[in-house]
Amino acid sequence: MKTGNYIFAAVLTFMMAFLMIEGCQKDGFNSRLVVKITDAPGIFQEVNIDIRRVEIHYNTDGPGKAGWVTMRTNAQVYDLITLQNGATAVLADDMNLPAGHISQMRFVLGDRNTVVTNGVEYKLKVPSGDESGLKIIMNIDLIANSGVEILLDFDAEKSI
């Protein structure tokens, strides 16, 4: 394994998004959106990702109503290695939105992204991670009075 910085540019290429539709009934016409993350087992001792914001590109029904919406994010450094074997962490929760469509999601990262292997910590380079963020293309329709849970299954071994 090379010493020095690990490149973390293709992280979302190997990240898979799974959708689970919850059947939650609510008063009014809002949908509940929850975003979680988990990780597959890998060779690293730690994979620390500094998530500052989770945003969605959201369009309500009607012309000219599309744009980026910042979700209520649980901003912190997540050690993905602790999120294995069914363990998850909630990145963003309790986002009530009217019916509409999500075409993209992005994660704006801080500068505390690291990986630990053989007891040595290396900084992860994330091109544009703190500016435009890491993006995932999606095609999710939010239906009134329903819930959507997005589980991002990260595979650190393939992504770093």
Side-chain angles (χ1 to χ4, degrees), residues 43-113:
I43 60 171
F44 301 104
Q45 293 166 311
E46 293 179 23
V47 177
N48 300 302
I49 306 301
D50 184 6
I51 297 185
R52 300 287 96 209
R53 286 190 323 271
V54 177
E55 300 175 350
I56 57 172
H57 195 269
Y58 176 70
N59 183 15
T60 59
D61 295 331
K65 297 190 178 185
W68 287 102
V69 175
T70 300
M71 297 185 68
R72 195 176 90 201
T73 305
N74 298 320
Q76 66 184 46
V77 176
Y78 292 89
D79 178 2
L80 299 181
I81 301 304
T82 65
L83 303 176
Q84 297 178 357
N85 301 317
T88 63
V90 177
L91 300 179
D93 189 9
D94 202 24
M95 186 72 175
N96 290 309
L97 298 165
H101 181 78
I102 300 172
S103 60
Q104 296 179 59
M105 180 177 291
R106 69 180 168 196
F107 303 93
V108 178
L109 305 179
D111 60 2
R112 298 179 298 163
N113 303 293

Side-chain angles (χ1 to χ4, degrees), residues 20-26 32 144-149:
M20 292 184 280
I21 306 296
E22 299 175 340
C24 62
Q25 294 295 323
K26 305 171 118 189
R32 183 167 179 253
N145 295 318
S146 67
V148 174
E149 184 173 284

